[in-house]
Amino acid sequence: ASTVLAAPAIAQGAPKVTWRLTSSFPKSLDTIYGGAEDLAKHVSEATDGNFQIQVFAAGEIVPGLQAADAVSAGTVEMCHTCSYYYVGKDPTFAIGTAIPFGLNARLTNSWFYDGNGNTLLNEFYATHGMVGFIAGNTGVQMGGWFRKEINTVDDFKGVKMRIAGLAGRVVEKLGVVPQQIPGGDIYPALEKGTIDAAEWVGPYDDQKLGFNKVAPYYYYPAFWEGGPVIHAFANKEKFEGLPASYQAALRDACAFANSSMMAKYDRKNPVAIRELVAAGTQLRPYSQEILEACFNAAMELYAEISASNPTFKKIYDDQVAFKRDAYLWMQLSEYTYDTFMMMQQRAGKL
Amino acid sequence: ASTVLAAPAIAQGAPKVTWRLTSSFPKSLDTIYGGAEDLAKHVSEATDGNFQIQVFAAGEIVPGLQAADAVSAGTVEMCHTCSYYYVGKDPTFAIGTAIPFGLNARLTNSWFYDGNGNTLLNEFYATHGMVGFIAGNTGVQMGGWFRKEINTVDDFKGVKMRIAGLAGRVVEKLGVVPQQIPGGDIYPALEKGTIDAAEWVGPYDDQKLGFNKVAPYYYYPAFWEGGPVIHAFANKEKFEGLPASYQAALRDACAFANSSMMAKYDRKNPVAIRELVAAGTQLRPYSQEILEACFNAAMELYAEISASNPTFKKIYDDQVAFKRDAYLWMQLSEYTYDTFMMMQQRAGKL
C-alpha cells in the first residue's frame, strides 16, 4: 500500500509553483503595467491556481530598465519589459521591440507568430539565458512632445530629446541630442527645460504623465515605433523546469495579454486624444522631408550595425524581407478599406 | 487505506474530457480550418492532455453552414464557424463576424476584448444556448472575382454574385442578385456561368479554390468584411460544466488562435497575390462612387433592421459609437506611419 501513496503521479503533475515577475513599468501606467497582471491572472486560472506569478512594479525589486538583467541572473524568474531597453548590451535587442521604420503591430504579430521572428529572437535571447514571448503592444506611438515646432530637418539641430531604443542613434544623425530618461523622470526634465522634447507612448499614457502641461506641440507618428512589443521574458532554466502544461498556459496567457493590451490602447487613446486637444494640445504631423531624412538615416544606421554584428544582420534581414512583402499586400484591401472608413469618419457619416 | 484511494481529490480536479468540434471549413483551406486545430492543440497542452477537442471538417458530422445549430442542439460540444452564416435566424448574428463598413481586424479585437462586443454578443448567443470566443480573423478580405469589369454602380445591375452575410442585402439594393453558395461549390458555379461573380476570402484561399482560372477581375476591398471573425462556439451548458481551469485554457487558446490565424494570412496572402498577378489576374479597386453607394445602402439597411430588431440595434449602436472614436484615432499615427511605409515599398526602398 505504501507504494501507492509514494507515487502520487497526479499530484506531481500539478505542483505549486510561485514566480516573481518584475515589470519595467510603474503601477500608475495601468495599461502597460496591467499586461503583466493580465497574464499572471490567466496563468493562475488555467492552472487551477497552482502556478502563481507575483507581479512587482518597476523599482520594487530592481529598477525598470534592469528587469531583463534580473531574469538573466535568475534574481527573478520573469519580467515584463521592452527588449529595446537593453540595446546598450547589443543592438539586436532593439529588433525584439521595434526599430525605426519597422513593422506595424499587426505585421509584428505575423512576423513573430508565423514568420521567423520568434525563432530567431529566441535563439538570441537564449544566449542571455532567457525565453521571450510577445505579451503586449501599443500600436504606432505618437512622435513626441516639443516645446517648439519642428518644421524642417534643420529645426531638429541641437534639440535635447528623450527618445528610446535605436531611434536615438537615428535622430542623432540629424543633430538631435538623444537622452535616455526613465518614464517617471521625463516630466520634471521637460518642465525645467533640461530637455526640449520627449516621446513616451501615446495619448493615454502621455496624458497621465502630464506632458501636455509643459510642451504644446504633439507630433506624429513615432516613425521609430510602428508596433512596439512588450515582452515577457522568463529565465530559460526556470522555464524549462516547468511542467509542460504550465509552459503552455504561460504561452497562451502571453498571447491573450498581447492582444488585450493593444485592445485597451485602441479604446483608451481616442478618449485621451480628444481631451488633450480640447485642453489646447497642438497636433502636428512630421513633414515628408523629415520622415525621409530619418528613413535615410535609419537605413544608414542598419548598414553600419549589420557590418559588424552578424546576429543583428541575420534577424534584421529576415524582418526586411517579410516587411517588403507585407507592405505590398497591405496596400490593397487593408489600406483602401481604412482610407474609405476614415473619409466617412471625417465627413461625420459613421 | 481504501478511503485514501477512494478520494483522489487531485484526480477529480483534472477529469478526462473529450469534446467534438465541427468546423465550417474543409481541410483543404488549411489556414481557416487550421485555427480549430491550433486551439485544440493548445487546450490539450495546457491541460496535460486531459481536455481533448477532436476537430471534424465541414460535412463530417454536419454541413458547414449548420455548425452552430449542432452546438445549440448539443449534437456537438463546439464549433469553429462564422457567426454571420446564421443571419437567416437573426441579423444580429452578422455583427459577430463583420458587417459592411464595420471595424477592421484590430478594432474588432479591441471592441471584443476591451469594448462591449464580447459581453453584448454573448448575451445574444446565450439565447441560442452558446458561448462564443473570437478565434480567428482574416483581415479585410478581397472584394471578389468578376467575369466583367465593374466600373460604375450601373454595372452591378443583374450581376449574380456569391456573397456572404448581410452584404447580400446591401448589394441587392444596387441591383446585384446575391447567392448563398458554400465555399466548395463556388468554382463550378462561376465556371459554368450560373453566377457572374463570387467573393470568398483573399488571395491565399481564393487561389486554392482556383477562382482566377474562371474570372479575370479581382476587386478590392471587400467593404463588407473589414475584419471578419471566426468564432469558436461552445454549447453553453457543456461549457459551464467544465472545470474552471479548462474554461480558462480554452479561452486563452482561442486568443492564441485568433492572433495566429491573422498572422498566417498576413504572411501567406502576399505570396499568393504575387502569384495570381503573375498568372494574369487583373486587380481592380472599387471606385469611390461604388463604395459610397454601397455605404449609403448599408446605412439604409441598418436603419431598417434596427427599426424592428432591438437586440440588433443595441449591439449595432454600441459598435458604431466605438467605430467613430476608433477611426478618428487611427487617422493619426497608424495611418500616417503605414502610408509612409507603403510609399517606401512602392519606391523600392524597403
Side-chain angles (χ1 to χ4, degrees):
Chain A
S2 76
T3 16
V4 172
L5 287 171
I10 297 160
Q12 283 177 341
K16 295 276 178 192
V17 174
T18 303
W19 274 18
R20 296 194 305 169
L21 178 155
T22 184
S23 170
S24 284
F25 313 102
K27 284 186 187 168
S28 57
L29 296 175
D30 61 337
T31 308
I32 200 161
Y33 175 81
E37 291 185 315
D38 280 351
L39 80 84
K41 181 169 178 283
H42 280 234
V43 164
S44 171
E45 288 172 359
T47 61
D48 240 339
N50 287 313
F51 182 13
Q52 293 290 334
I53 298 171
Q54 300 172 332
V55 179
F56 296 88
E60 289 186 349
I61 301 176
V62 292
L65 302 184
Q66 295 167 29
D69 307 74
V71 172
S72 284
T75 313
V76 295
E77 290 83 3
M78 203 169 164
C79 70
H80 197 227
T81 190
C82 292
S83 180
Y84 70 14
Y85 290 158
Y86 312 95
V87 75
K89 288 184 207 300
D90 188 326
T92 309
F93 275 105
I95 309 177
T97 309
I99 56 173
F101 304 101
L103 303 167
N104 67 17
R106 185 163 134 181
L107 299 179
T108 294
N109 285 344
S110 182
W111 184 60
F112 271 93
Y113 282 131
D114 198 54
N116 301 318
N118 219 23
T119 305
L120 291 174
L121 277 158
N122 269 308
E123 284 170 14
F124 169 69
Y125 294 139
T127 66
H128 291 265
M130 302 194 298
V131 176
F133 298 92
I134 61 173
N137 203 303
T138 65
V140 182
Q141 297 195 356
M142 290 290 282
W145 299 85
F146 289 77
R147 297 166 69 98
K148 64 163 193 176
E149 285 190 84
I150 303 292
N151 295 312
T152 66
V153 173
D154 274 353
D155 291 339
F156 264 142
K157 292 217 166 71
V159 168
K160 281 176 286 184
M161 179 176 186
R162 188 274 175 194
I163 184 165
L166 284 186
R169 291 177 64 184
V170 169
V171 293
E172 200 169 23
K173 287 176 181 280
L174 278 74
V176 171
V177 185
Q179 313 278 316
Q180 301 294 338
I181 302 173
D185 299 337
I186 301 172
Y187 180 89
L190 198 54
E191 189 189 24
K192 286 176 199 155
T194 314
I195 56 175
D196 308 303
E199 62 83 33
W200 177 242
V201 177
Y204 182 75
D205 287 338
D206 291 3
Q207 186 187 33
K208 272 187 184 286
L209 295 181
F211 301 145
N212 57 310
K213 295 175 201 151
V214 285
Y217 302 107
Y218 198 16
Y219 276 81
Y220 64 90
F223 48 81
W224 53 92
E225 296 184 297
V229 169
I230 289 79
H231 258 90
F233 287 122
N235 178 281
K236 191 165 184 287
E237 203 178 310
K238 300 276 171 62
F239 181 76
E240 287 167 358
L242 287 175
S245 62
Y246 293 13
Q247 293 179 351
L250 178 57
R251 172 197 58 194
D252 283 9
C254 287
F256 173 81
N258 190 57
S259 293
S260 170
M261 188 189 294
M262 187 72 266
K264 289 177 187 175
Y265 276 119
D266 281 339
R267 186 181 62 78
K268 293 173 175 181
N269 276 327
V271 179
I273 196 78
R274 278 188 201 279
E275 290 175 1
L276 287 168
V277 171
T281 287
Q282 303 285 310
L283 292 174
R284 294 284 185 277
Y286 280 120
S287 72
Q288 195 67 16
E289 180 215 357
I290 289 172
L291 291 175
E292 281 174 12
C294 291
F295 182 85
N296 293 338
M299 297 307 126
E300 200 179 284
L301 178 66
Y302 299 145
E304 289 163 15
I305 300 173
S306 293
S308 64
N309 186 328
T311 304
F312 179 94
K313 182 178 185 335
K314 180 182 172 185
I315 306 178
Y316 173 76
D317 286 352
D318 185 84
Q319 192 186 70
V320 167
F322 181 92
K323 182 167 67 173
R324 281 184 187 136
D325 260 13
Y327 268 115
L328 168 68
W329 160 238
M330 287 283 137
Q331 287 170 48
L332 297 175
S333 286
E334 288 295 333
Y335 193 73
T336 53
Y337 186 88
D338 281 343
T339 300
F340 183 79
M341 294 300 287
M342 288 173 192
M343 288 167 64
Q344 305 312 303
Q345 195 281 336
R346 288 201 181 191
K349 291 185 181 172
L350 286 190
Chain B
S2 77
T3 14
V4 173
L5 287 171
I10 296 160
Q12 284 177 343
K16 294 276 177 193
V17 175
T18 303
W19 273 18
R20 296 194 305 168
L21 178 154
T22 183
S23 170
S24 285
F25 312 103
K27 283 185 188 169
S28 57
L29 295 175
D30 60 337
T31 308
I32 199 161
Y33 175 81
E37 291 185 314
D38 280 350
L39 79 83
K41 181 168 179 283
H42 280 233
V43 164
S44 172
E45 288 172 358
T47 61
D48 240 339
N50 288 312
F51 182 12
Q52 292 290 335
I53 299 171
Q54 300 172 330
V55 179
F56 295 87
E60 289 187 349
I61 302 176
V62 292
L65 302 184
Q66 294 167 29
D69 307 72
V71 172
S72 284
T75 312
V76 295
E77 290 83 3
M78 204 168 164
C79 70
H80 197 226
T81 189
C82 292
S83 180
Y84 71 13
Y85 289 157
Y86 313 95
V87 75
K89 290 182 204 297
D90 188 324
T92 310
F93 275 105
I95 310 177
T97 309
I99 57 173
F101 304 100
L103 303 168
N104 66 17
R106 185 164 133 182
L107 298 178
T108 295
N109 285 345
S110 181
W111 185 60
F112 271 93
Y113 282 131
D114 198 55
N116 301 318
N118 217 27
T119 304
L120 292 173
L121 277 159
N122 270 308
E123 285 170 15
F124 169 69
Y125 294 139
T127 67
H128 292 265
M130 301 193 298
V131 177
F133 298 92
I134 62 172
N137 204 301
T138 66
V140 182
Q141 297 195 355
M142 289 291 282
W145 298 85
F146 289 77
R147 296 166 70 98
K148 63 164 194 173
E149 285 190 83
I150 303 293
N151 295 312
T152 66
V153 172
D154 275 352
D155 292 338
F156 264 142
K157 293 216 164 74
V159 168
K160 282 177 285 187
M161 181 176 184
R162 186 274 174 195
I163 184 166
L166 285 186
R169 292 176 64 184
V170 169
V171 292
E172 201 169 21
K173 286 177 182 279
L174 277 72
V176 170
V177 186
Q179 313 278 317
Q180 300 294 339
I181 302 174
D185 300 338
I186 301 172
Y187 179 90
L190 198 54
E191 189 187 24
K192 285 175 200 154
T194 315
I195 56 175
D196 308 304
E199 61 86 31
W200 177 240
V201 177
Y204 182 75
D205 287 337
D206 292 3
Q207 185 186 34
K208 271 186 184 286
L209 295 181
F211 301 144
N212 56 309
K213 295 175 201 151
V214 285
Y217 302 107
Y218 198 18
Y219 276 81
Y220 63 92
F223 47 81
W224 53 93
E225 298 185 296
V229 168
I230 290 79
H231 259 89
F233 287 123
N235 178 281
K236 191 165 184 289
E237 204 178 309
K238 299 276 170 62
F239 181 77
E240 287 167 356
L242 287 175
S245 60
Y246 293 13
Q247 294 178 350
L250 177 57
R251 172 196 61 193
D252 283 9
C254 288
F256 174 81
N258 190 59
S259 294
S260 170
M261 189 189 294
M262 187 71 267
K264 289 177 187 174
Y265 276 119
D266 280 340
R267 186 182 61 79
K268 292 173 175 181
N269 277 327
V271 179
I273 196 76
R274 279 186 200 279
E275 290 176 0
L276 287 167
V277 171
T281 287
Q282 302 285 311
L283 292 174
R284 294 284 185 277
Y286 281 121
S287 72
Q288 195 67 16
E289 180 214 358
I290 289 173
L291 291 175
E292 280 174 11
C294 292
F295 182 85
N296 293 337
M299 296 306 126
E300 202 179 282
L301 179 66
Y302 298 144
E304 288 163 17
I305 300 174
S306 293
S308 64
N309 186 325
T311 304
F312 180 93
K313 182 179 185 333
K314 180 182 172 186
I315 305 178
Y316 173 75
D317 286 353
D318 185 84
Q319 192 187 70
V320 168
F322 180 92
K323 182 167 66 173
R324 281 184 187 136
D325 260 13
Y327 268 116
L328 168 69
W329 161 236
M330 286 284 138
Q331 288 170 48
L332 296 175
S333 285
E334 288 295 334
Y335 193 74
T336 53
Y337 186 87
D338 281 343
T339 301
F340 183 79
M341 292 302 286
M342 289 172 192
M343 288 167 65
Q344 305 312 303
Q345 195 281 335
R346 288 201 179 191
K349 290 184 180 172
L350 285 188

